[in-house]
Amino acid sequence: QVTLVESGGGLVQPGGSLRLSCAASGNIYSYYVVAWYRQAPGEERDFVAHIGSGGTTSYADSVKGRFTISRGSANSWTLQMRGLRQEDTATYYCSLESRDIGTYGTIFWGRGTQVTVSS
């Protein structure tokens, strides 16, 4: 069982920065990737970035060069967002794909944190 909690969202002006955090709790012995997705009202949920258990990262073209995903302290991950644009406005979700014996392949999701980029 894994619980994910996102934090760090808020209102920011265009060109500003935010740092999102994803904190995981529960029995995490092995996992595949931690990823960030985002969803704007009326839109589909889109991939933003992920980091593998070995530290490899990947980014959507729309955020490459502006966003950075990394691992913080134990069982926590961050998404550093720079040069924010109005189109970055969305609810940002953290996910974790488990490789534990009891939950192998299960993808856990947080409730999301709202990011609003506006003047």
Side-chain angles (χ1 to χ4, degrees):
Q1 299 90 352
V2 176
T3 299
L4 304 176
V5 179
E6 303 94 338
S7 62
L11 176 64
V12 64
Q13 296 181 2
S17 300
L18 283 175
R19 183 187 295 270
L20 305 184
S21 178
C22 173
S25 62
N27 296 322
I28 306 174
Y29 300 103
S30 182
Y31 68 96
Y32 180 46
V33 295
V34 167
W36 287 93
Y37 289 78
R38 66 187 182 186
Q39 185 171 24
E43 303 293 333
E44 296 182 344
R45 184 173 57 192
D46 294 326
F47 167 78
V48 175
H50 74 231
I51 182 168
S53 60
T56 58
T57 59
S58 182
Y59 300 90
D61 289 341
S62 59
V63 306
K64 186 173 294 185
R66 299 188 297 119
F67 291 9
T68 302
I69 187 171
S70 63
R71 188 173 187 178
S73 59
N75 293 334
S76 68
W77 293 262
T78 63
L79 183 68
Q80 179 65 53
M81 310 164 69
R82 305 182 306 275
L84 286 165
R85 307 164 181 168
Q86 186 175 9
E87 53 264 39
D88 294 319
T89 296
T91 301
Y92 284 70
Y93 299 91
C94 178
S95 69
L96 178 148
E97 183 172 347
S98 174
R99 294 181 63 87
D100 292 335
I101 294 176
T103 55
Y104 193 94
T106 299
I107 301 177
F108 298 92
W109 293 91
R111 295 291 187 179
T113 184
Q114 178 67 39
V115 173
T116 302
V117 184
S118 177
S119 299

